[in-house]
């Protein structure tokens, strides 16, 4: 009985967030059109209760960014460092993961630029964000700024590129030094677990935060927000579909000459499981088992590439971040320069290494990507409510990318059974 109740609770969060999104939108529209203007509506309700609770939740998310990303990246880099012992398999896997992530962001930016999901929202910039957005940064300086002068200054100000650089450096050294630094490596692994738990705890407050954020948004702009929100969802779903059913399958055919339709048919149960759980980590055992029994991939390859993929290959998350950047820039009326777009591609690709395979953690790293191009992190409030639905789709894309890469590497290494793949099991 207790187990059943726990399962019900787990399913409850996404349902609660969705209900909060709908009720928040309805309440916001009712406040906008039917509640008379005055001190109670404007000062106490909209800019008081809704503002404090909504932005309080955003602050909780921002509080997690630096420690979560730093520890996740150190652990991700430690995993990459271990791959040196696996020689060509490790190198091929990592290169494939990084290339597909960069491709995913390009797909997302391209589709979002065609659909223009944020055009027409015209949201006023926060005062502090206006200064950031209008400041032009020299590209050479941006490259130099990746190397921190003082890592503690970067950590305290949340300057993400130097943090990423330092975390990767630390992680690679920890992996190279092995048992000599096992205490420090364990510290980062355990602190990373703490940050994961904290993220899950903060996400429990998401329904209240989403309700307040969405209600405040709709209270200010009424029905005008509906169409851009639908366009945002459409952009993300289309980009995910292109990545999953076009980019991955073309790569699978080009590198292995296997039938992509047969691959999708055999792997589809794993995709539906990932969709329902919204976590890449929970799908690892099922992925390895399906790849071995139905597709013909040796467990020696998949037991290495699949867990690594769950750590460093988050193409679905990168797609959401690419579309979100365009959406938020258009919503606030901030033009994206070619240098800013290049920065988004680089930052989101590197950030995917540190995005853990737990529900909605992509929203935390999104604030890092926004900061890297001078966009206000308040924009996350616009997409917070519908993100849980998209998160389920993103996870399915993430694990499909891991499986395609694993199949390609296994085929090239001669660790692939074609008879298993051809069999109708």
């Amino acid at each position: 009985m207790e187990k059943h109740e726990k399962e019900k609770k787990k399913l409850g969060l996404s349902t609660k967030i969705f209900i909060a999104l709908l009720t928040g939108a309805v309440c916001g529209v009712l406040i906008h059109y039917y509640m008379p203007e005055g001190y109670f509506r404007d000062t106490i309700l909209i800019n008081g209760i809704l503002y404090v609770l909504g932005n309080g939740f955003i602050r909780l998310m921002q509080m997690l960014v630096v420690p979560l990303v730093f520890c996740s990246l150190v652990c991700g880099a430690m995993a990459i460092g271990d791959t040196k012992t696996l020689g060509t398999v490790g190198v091929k896997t990592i290169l494939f993961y990084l290339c597909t992530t960069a491709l995913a962001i390009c797909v997302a930016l391209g589709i979002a630029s065609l659909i223009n999901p944020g055009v027409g929202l015209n949201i006023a910039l926060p005062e502090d964000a206006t200064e950031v957005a209008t400041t032009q940064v020299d590209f050479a300086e941006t490259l130099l700024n990746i190397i921190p002068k003082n890592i503690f200054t970067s950590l305290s100000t949340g300057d993400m590129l130097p943090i990423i650089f330092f975390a990767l450096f630390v992680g690679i050294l920890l992996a190279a030094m092995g048992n000599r630094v096992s205490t420090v490596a364990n510290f980062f692994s355990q602190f990373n677990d703490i940050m994961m738990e904290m993220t899950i705890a903060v996400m429990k407050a998401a329904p209240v935060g989403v309700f307040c954020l969405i209600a405040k948004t709709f209270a200010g702009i009424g029905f005008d927000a509906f169409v851009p929100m639908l366009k945002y969802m459409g952009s993300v779903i289309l980009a995910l579909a292109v990545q999953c059913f076009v980019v991955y399958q073309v790569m699978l055919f080009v590198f292995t000459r296997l039938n992509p339709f047969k691959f999708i048919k055999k792997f589809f149960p794993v995709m539906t499981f990932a969709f329902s759980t919204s976590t890449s980590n929970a799908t690892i055992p099922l992925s390895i088992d399906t790849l071995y029994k139905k597709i013909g991939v040796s467990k020696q390859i998949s037991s290495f590439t699949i867990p690594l993929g769950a750590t460093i290959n988050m193409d679905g998350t990168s797609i959401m971040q690419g579309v979100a950047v365009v959406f938020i820039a258009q919503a606030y009326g901030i033009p994206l320069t070619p240098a800013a777009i290049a920065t988004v591609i680089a930052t989101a690709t590197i950030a995917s290494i540190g995005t853990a395979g737990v529900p909605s953690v992509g929203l935390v790293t999104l604030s890092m990507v926004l900061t890297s191009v001078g966009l206000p992190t308040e924009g996350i409030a616009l997409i917070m409510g519908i993100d849980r639905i998209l998160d389920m789709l993103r996870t399915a894309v993430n694990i499909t990318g891991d499986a395609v890469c694993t199949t390609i590497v296994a085929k090239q290494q001669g660790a692939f059974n074609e008879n298993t793949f051809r069999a109708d099991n």
Side-chain angles (χ1 to χ4, degrees):
M1 185 74 182
E2 278 180 31
K3 195 180 177 187
H4 179 69
E5 280 176 19
K6 278 182 185 174
E7 281 175 16
K8 207 173 175 185
K9 262 186 193 174
K10 281 182 188 174
L11 292 172
L13 182 62
S14 51
T15 313
K16 283 176 193 169
I17 290 176
F18 189 61
I19 292 166
L21 165 70
L22 294 177
T23 50
V26 170
C27 288
V29 168
L30 290 174
I31 291 167
H32 182 79
Y33 292 107
Y34 297 106
M35 189 177 276
E37 286 182 33
Y39 179 76
F40 177 77
R41 190 194 89 159
D42 299 333
T43 308
I44 294 177
L45 189 60
I46 296 175
N47 294 314
I49 298 166
L50 295 179
Y51 174 78
V52 170
L53 290 176
N55 279 56
F57 179 67
I58 288 286
R59 287 213 176 195
L60 282 171
M61 296 287 288
Q62 289 171 330
M63 172 186 79
L64 297 171
V65 173
V66 172
L68 176 69
V69 170
F70 186 78
C71 290
S72 292
L73 277 169
V74 169
C75 294
M78 278 197 280
I80 292 170
D82 290 339
T83 63
K84 286 176 185 174
T85 56
L86 285 116
T88 53
V89 175
V91 172
K92 278 181 186 176
T93 306
I94 293 156
L95 285 175
F96 185 95
Y97 283 157
L98 291 175
C99 288
T100 55
T101 304
L103 269 173
I105 303 154
C106 293
V107 167
L109 290 169
I111 287 171
S113 300
L114 284 173
I115 295 175
N116 294 323
V119 170
L121 266 177
N122 302 324
I123 298 171
L125 271 169
E127 280 178 34
D128 54 344
T130 312
E131 292 170 28
V132 179
T134 52
T135 305
Q136 294 297 313
V137 182
D138 180 62
F139 190 68
E141 283 300 312
T142 306
L143 281 176
L144 274 176
N145 288 339
I146 293 172
I147 304 166
K149 289 179 186 174
N150 183 336
I151 189 58
F152 296 104
T153 306
S154 300
L155 287 165
S156 65
T157 56
D159 194 1
M160 294 315 299
L161 286 174
I163 292 170
I164 291 168
F165 178 86
F166 189 77
L168 289 173
F169 210 154
V170 170
I172 290 163
L173 284 175
L174 285 173
M177 292 170 78
N179 291 334
R180 279 192 293 157
V181 287
S182 58
T183 308
V184 180
N186 288 337
F187 167 78
F188 278 112
S189 296
Q190 288 167 6
F191 197 77
N192 192 39
D193 291 341
I194 292 169
M195 293 316 300
M196 291 300 104
E197 284 299 314
M198 200 179 281
T199 303
I200 291 161
V202 167
M203 286 310 294
K204 285 178 183 172
V208 177
V210 166
F211 175 85
C212 295
L213 292 164
I214 294 293
K216 185 177 182 297
T217 302
F218 280 90
I221 51 185
F223 281 114
D224 296 343
F226 272 107
V227 175
M229 295 279 260
L230 288 172
K231 282 167 79 177
Y232 167 75
M233 277 189 81
S235 301
V236 175
I237 291 166
L238 180 59
L240 289 171
V242 168
Q243 182 73 7
C244 191
F245 299 113
V246 179
V247 175
Y248 288 153
Q249 306 316 320
V250 167
M251 292 183 94
L252 181 73
F253 181 75
V254 167
F255 287 107
T256 66
R257 299 295 171 193
L258 296 173
N259 185 337
F261 298 103
K262 205 173 187 74
F263 178 87
I264 291 168
K265 186 184 173 186
K266 285 172 176 270
F267 197 70
F268 197 73
V270 187
M271 293 163 76
T272 53
F273 179 76
F275 177 83
S276 60
T277 58
S278 290
T279 157
S280 302
N281 290 343
T283 320
I284 289 171
L286 186 63
S287 276
I288 293 170
D289 195 53
T290 304
L291 284 166
Y292 177 66
K293 288 180 180 172
K294 292 187 179 181
I295 293 169
V297 173
S298 161
K299 280 190 178 179
Q300 191 183 0
I301 300 286
S302 61
S303 60
F304 162 68
T305 57
I306 295 293
L308 182 67
T311 310
I312 69 167
N313 188 41
M314 294 284 170
D315 297 350
T317 305
S318 302
I319 283 171
M320 176 275 286
Q321 292 173 345
V323 175
V325 164
V326 175
F327 176 70
I328 290 164
Q330 290 174 345
Y332 285 102
I334 301 167
L336 284 174
T337 62
I341 289 167
T343 306
V344 169
I345 294 168
T347 312
T349 302
I350 297 165
S352 73
I353 295 169
T355 306
V358 297
S360 295
V361 78
L363 279 176
V364 181
T365 50
L366 173 60
S367 59
M368 174 183 84
V369 179
L370 292 174
T371 306
S372 72
V373 287
L375 291 172
T377 50
E378 287 82 358
I380 295 173
L382 300 171
I383 59 170
M384 191 80 199
I386 49 176
D387 185 72
R388 196 69 177 88
I389 309 153
L390 297 173
D391 190 34
M392 297 161 90
L393 291 166
R394 290 204 301 268
T395 307
V397 173
N398 287 341
I399 59 105
T400 307
D402 299 344
V404 169
C405 168
T406 300
T407 307
I408 291 170
V409 171
K411 187 86 164 64
Q412 292 182 343
Q413 295 300 121
F416 183 81
N417 187 335
E418 284 211 36
N419 293 330
T420 305
F421 184 77
R422 294 185 197 289
D424 290 321
N425 40 15

